[in-house]
């Protein structure tokens, strides 16, 4: 049996489309005056997002969240 020609717009020998990947983002307002550091660390580790955002992360919070830098090595602090 003959092989049918490729469909219109298809490339001969092209790879199949890449699998769809989802980007998981988690955000938490940690409230600068809170001291629930361990709870937030545990939550972030359980959730395992690709990107995590912490709102109201004071310098104290930033230090407390430092253990996450192994899993999230890219950090950006925005202070306004």
């Amino acid at each position: 049996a003959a092989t049918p020609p490729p469909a219109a717009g298809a490339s001969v020998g092209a790879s199949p489309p890449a699998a769809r990947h989802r980007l998981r983002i988690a955000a938490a307002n940690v409230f600068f005056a809170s001291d629930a550091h361990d709870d937030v660390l545990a939550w972030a580790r359980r959730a395992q997002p690709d990107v995590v955002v912490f709102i109201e992360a004071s310098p104290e919070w930033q230090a407390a969240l430092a253990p996450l830098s192994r899993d999230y090595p890219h950090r950006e602090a925005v202070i306004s």
Side-chain angles (χ1 to χ4, degrees), residues 43-64:
W43 166 80
R45 288 182 175 132
R46 270 192 323 273
Q48 297 181 333
D50 300 305
V51 176
V52 64
V53 177
F54 296 107
I55 302 157
E56 292 194 45
S58 65
E60 180 183 341
W61 264 103
Q62 291 179 40

Side-chain angles (χ1 to χ4, degrees), residues 25-37:
I25 301 172
N29 184 329
V30 295
F31 183 60
F32 70 94
S34 171
D35 63 355
H37 306 134

Side-chain angles (χ1 to χ4, degrees), residues 17 20 24 36 38 42 72:
R20 297 187 106 178
R24 292 173 30 103
D38 292 336
Y72 302 96

